Amino acid sequence: MTRSVPFSLALTASIFSSTVPASATPYADRVISYSQGSTAASAYNNPNAALGEPSRVTPAGPTDAPVTPFNPPWPTSQLVSIGAGGSLTLELGVSAQDVAWNPYGIDLILFGNNGFKVNDYSVSESEWTTDGTLFTFDLAGASKVWVSDNNQDYYELVVPSDLTAQVDSLFPTDASGDFLKPVNPSLTSADFAGKNLAGIQELYAGSAGGTGFDLAWARKADGSQAGIGSARFVRIEVSQGKIELDGIAAVPEPATWALFGLALMGAAKLRSTAKRHHQPFGSTGTKPL
Ligand SMILES: [Ca+2]
Ligand SMILES: [Ca+2]
């Protein structure tokens, strides 16, 4: 074994760890407060179910099945319910950032347990299609999302009139996708009409779904723009009906990944340089980066 590979890996690890603390998670890692509200699904009363990564699998008979837009998570261990007059306030492991290069401007993604209606359950699961509407037995209640950077000053995220971003509605979770990548928020139910799972995944374009929010939507009480650049705290308030929440995610800060990419490129360059010289970096290896 040459020294070049361990050195490269150590370099990569040191740059990566200096920007991403080992404990940092892009998901919620603390419950600040929870009040279930009057019309919640009462058994779903554990707010810790909204911490961490959203569900990848959910119980199906004696085993687990992957979470798909046709097969949402359902047990009390995976979801918390919020009803009228209730609220849930969570702290993210890392702040969501309102940066221009986030896809579609989406900085924060909330995952519920809604699913696309299956047109015909009598055909085999691989042939299931949807008309694009959501489950009618579990309609998403009316909710508002608030964000804060200090857990004191909270600003409502007011969804622009040309978009519909409703918690526990579009877009049902597809755990084969990336929980940190938003779906194009301009897609509507009609875009999913007639789609099977592969068709839905094509529209998700690598995303795991969820409802995306832009911190630029934050408004002060007088309706003016809050101009909040980052948010560590997220509050969901329900005024009517109920919603279930599986988890929330901050779209990752690209600078972190750019640095990580640079570190990888540096490591690759070291390796290729070593290869070109037909020798590994030995104990006298002094190649500077
Ligand atoms: Ca944004
Ligand atoms: Ca969960």
Side-chain angles (χ1 to χ4, degrees):
M1 176 55 85
T2 70
R3 286 187 64 196
S4 63
V5 170
F7 172 65
S8 305
L9 288 178
L11 179 74
T12 303
S14 72
I15 292 179
F16 189 48
S17 63
S18 69
T19 56
V20 183
S23 60
T25 165
Y27 307 108
D29 70 354
R30 190 159 72 106
V31 175
I32 303 295
S33 67
Y34 172 57
S35 164
Q36 192 177 39
S38 60
T39 48
S42 56
Y44 291 75
N45 59 3
N46 175 13
N48 292 325
L51 301 182
E53 189 181 72
S55 305
R56 291 190 175 276
V57 297
T58 199
T63 59
D64 285 344
V67 166
T68 74
F70 295 141
N71 184 43
W74 61 268
T76 55
S77 61
Q78 294 186 314
L79 304 163
V80 60
S81 185
I82 309 160
S87 70
L88 174 65
T89 306
L90 300 169
E91 181 175 6
L92 288 157
V94 296
S95 297
Q97 305 281 339
D98 185 24
V99 286
W101 47 82
N102 275 352
Y104 315 108
I106 298 297
D107 316 311
L108 182 67
I109 309 174
L110 276 58
F111 294 86
N113 79 325
N114 223 320
F116 279 123
K117 181 185 164 190
V118 174
N119 287 325
D120 182 1
Y121 280 108
S122 71
V123 301
S124 72
E125 188 171 344
S126 61
E127 290 170 27
W128 285 356
T129 57
T130 183
D131 64 2
T133 62
L134 299 170
F135 290 169
T136 52
F137 54 83
D138 190 22
L139 292 173
S143 63
K144 287 180 177 176
V145 178
W146 301 70
V147 292
S148 172
D149 207 24
N150 58 10
N151 196 26
Q152 290 186 352
D153 307 307
Y154 276 84
Y155 302 101
E156 184 185 347
L157 295 180
V158 179
V159 182
S161 56
D162 59 334
L163 294 175
T164 48
Q166 187 183 11
V167 181
D168 201 17
S169 180
L170 291 174
F171 299 90
T173 307
D174 180 55
S176 73
D178 185 345
F179 288 120
L180 306 180
K181 188 176 178 184
V183 173
N184 181 346
S186 66
L187 291 173
T188 66
S189 274
D191 293 308
F192 294 91
K195 301 291 185 188
N196 59 10
L197 181 58
I200 295 167
Q201 288 169 338
E202 197 177 332
L203 287 174
Y204 279 19
S207 166
T211 309
F213 289 86
D214 185 345
L215 297 187
W217 300 344
R219 291 288 182 276
K220 295 179 183 173
D222 65 5
S224 64
Q225 285 204 345
I228 188 170
S230 68
R232 186 75 178 236
F233 302 89
V234 179
R235 174 177 297 159
I236 301 115
E237 283 184 355
V238 174
S239 57
Q240 198 178 11
K242 67 178 181 67
I243 63 116
E244 277 74 47
L245 196 72
D246 184 358
I248 67 175
V251 175
E253 187 181 355
T256 298
W257 298 104
L259 275 176
F260 184 48
L262 280 176
L264 286 177
M265 281 167 60
K269 193 177 173 190
L270 278 172
R271 277 195 297 275
S272 71
T273 304
K275 210 171 179 179
R276 259 202 320 280
H277 293 174
H278 301 292
Q279 61 181 29
F281 294 116
S283 55
T284 58
T286 54
K287 177 74 177 169
L289 252 190

